């Protein structure tokens, strides 16, 4: 309005202007009051939906706690405590709303008449004593401050720091700088002093919405921490799955590498391996059973979990191969691969990693003995024999190998008198009745030798050729002419193997008999 002296006409115009502003303000006030009332109804409706959603979320958490107590049991206890203090706080706020609106009129449908809720004296009388807070005002302020502190104390490290910060800001009661007042006001003064009743009711309803949103955030965070951990790459481990458990040299090693999760808190309800129950452990299960016969075997079973009241079975399917346990080292003297003609050469033939019943060996003169892996070799003519070996692998593929052996005759034996070699001493009478024999020195085969002839020689006397293995009459006649210290040489001893027909052994070393 202009300063200075005004004309009556101008004064009238100014007065009409003030009346117009007052009427406009009055109309706006009614619209604002109605807006607060409508907003309050909307928040109440939203709170009801949030309650239902929170109840469903808690039901899911409770079921998870039953299915996996190690993973969700503690979280359920935390959420139960937070839901308890949240209900107590929300009921407290509902009690305040009931107190301050108990004298407020309602329409025929039971709704508050918002446009009549323009006074704030009921709230001011409840929360304030002049410029100071009343007992109820102090309690109201303390409830707001303690609620986030209680949540932080209950949840501890289970609630992420970012969620704690969000809750503390949501219920912050720091002083607020007011432009209208031109000063910094206490939080409760700024928000509740001298406000219309419907505005306070709406703010209290919004506080209840904040409580319910906090409860929802806490439960979401409890699940979210598991989801984040499950989605993190650190929750995965590379697992090598081979095509089979045993491979042979030269064979391609085939398999796949998959990413699997290992959760130490996840414990199965039961685990079955090859028809037997094994104890479930944290995130795994150890098993042990007999390997069985040589060959390929299957591993089957299931991991069984409770989920939402139902049993979920995860199948186990794999295989393994059993090979013969090594009983001795394979040592080969490259220059000693020899078989002897005229005797039965025992041989053990195997293929590493293949059972004896899947191994077959062939060669001239080679025959199985009836015991798996055991053969006898009777080499024939020639200087070499090749032994070929084939084996059948678990996948029915065939592997083969061969080895060449030299064929040698039995080494020449050494002649004996009375079983003694070299220079044998004794009386003439003992020689007359002795048997000429032969021995194979350092020969590992048990063989029998027959002497079928020899030469009998005394110095100065003609050589006597004898058939058989004893002195004949002519030998005895020559022997009668020798004296003490004379030597008798028995040479050209003819020896053959017992049971080998006409096969004669190489030249036999002579034996000397000295007369005593």
């Amino acid at each position: 309005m202009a300063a200075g002296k005004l004309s009556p006409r101008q004064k009238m115009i100014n007065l009409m202007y003030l009346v117009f502003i007052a009427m406009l303000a009055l109309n706006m006030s009614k619209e604002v009051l109605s807006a607060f009332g409508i907003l309050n109804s909307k928040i109440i409706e939203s709170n009801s939906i949030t309650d239902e959603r929170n109840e469903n979320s808690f039901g899911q958490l409770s079921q998870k706690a039953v299915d996996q107590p190690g993973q969700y049991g503690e979280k359920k206890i935390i959420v139960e405590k937070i839901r308890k203090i949240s209900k107590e706080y929300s009921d407290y706020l509902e009690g305040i709303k009931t107190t301050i609106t108990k004298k407020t009129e309602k329409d025929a449908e039971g709704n508050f008449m918002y446009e009549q809720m323009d006074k704030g004296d009921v709230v001011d009388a409840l929360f304030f004593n002049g410029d100071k807070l009343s007992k109820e005002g102090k309690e109201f302020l303390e409830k707001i401050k303690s609620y986030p502190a209680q949540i932080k104390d209950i949840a501890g490290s289970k609630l992420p720091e970012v969620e704690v910060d969000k809750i503390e800001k949501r219920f912050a009661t720091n002083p607020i700088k007011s432009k209208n007042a031109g000063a910094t006001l206490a939080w409760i003064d700024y928000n509740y002093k001298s406000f219309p009743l419907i505005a306070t009711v709406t703010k209290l309803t919004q506080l209840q919405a904040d409580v319910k949103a906090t409860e929802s955030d806490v439960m979401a965070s409890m699940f979210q921490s598991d989801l984040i951990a499950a989605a993190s790459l650190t929750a995965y481990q590379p697992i090598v799955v081979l095509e089979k458990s045993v491979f042979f040299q030269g064979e391609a090693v085939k398999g796949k590498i998959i990413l699997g999760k290992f959760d130490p808190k996840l414990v199965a309800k039961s685990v079955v391996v090859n028809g037997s129950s094994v104890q479930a452990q944290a995130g795994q299960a150890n098993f042990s059973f007999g390997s069985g016969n040589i060959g390929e075997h299957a591993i089957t079973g299931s991991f069984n979990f409770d989920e939402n009241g139902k049993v979920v079975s995860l199948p186990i399917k794999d295989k393994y191969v059993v090979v013969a346990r090594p009983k001795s080292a394979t040592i080969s003297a490259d220059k000693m691969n020899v078989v002897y003609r005229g005797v039965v050469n025992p041989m053990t033939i195997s293929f590493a990693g293949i059972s004896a019943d899947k191994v077959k060996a062939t060669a001239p003169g080679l025959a199985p003995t009836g015991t798996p892996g055991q053969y006898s070799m009777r080499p024939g003519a020639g200087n070499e024999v090749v032994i070929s070996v084939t084996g059948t692998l678990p996948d029915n593929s065939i592997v083969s190998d061969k080895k060449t052996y030299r064929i040698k005759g039995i080494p020449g034996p050494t002649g004996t008198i009375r079983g003694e070699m070299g220079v044998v001493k004794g009386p003439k009478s003992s020689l007359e009745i002795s048997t000429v024999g032969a021995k194979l020195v350092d020969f590992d085969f048990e063989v029998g030798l027959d002497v079928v002839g020899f030469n009998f020689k005394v110095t100065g006397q003609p050589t006597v050729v004898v058939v058989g293995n004893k002195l004949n009459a002519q030998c005895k006649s020559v022997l009668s002419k020798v004296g003490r210290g004379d030597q008798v040489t028995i040479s050209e001893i003819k020896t053959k193997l017992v049971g080998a027909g006409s096969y004669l052994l190489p030249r036999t070393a002579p034996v000397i008999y000295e007369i005593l």
Side-chain angles (χ1 to χ4, degrees), residues 254-276:
K254 298 180 180 180
K256 56 187 174 183
I257 299 175
I258 62 176
L259 287 177
K261 292 181 184 177
F262 177 82
D263 189 345
K265 295 181 181 179
L266 187 62
V267 179
K269 178 182 180 181
S270 64
V271 182
V272 178
V273 179
N274 282 9
S276 299

Side-chain angles (χ1 to χ4, degrees), residues 97 135 149 151 245 305 355 373 426 465:
K97 290 198 298 181
K135 176 184 175 182
I151 290 177
S245 300
F305 297 89
S355 60
V465 178

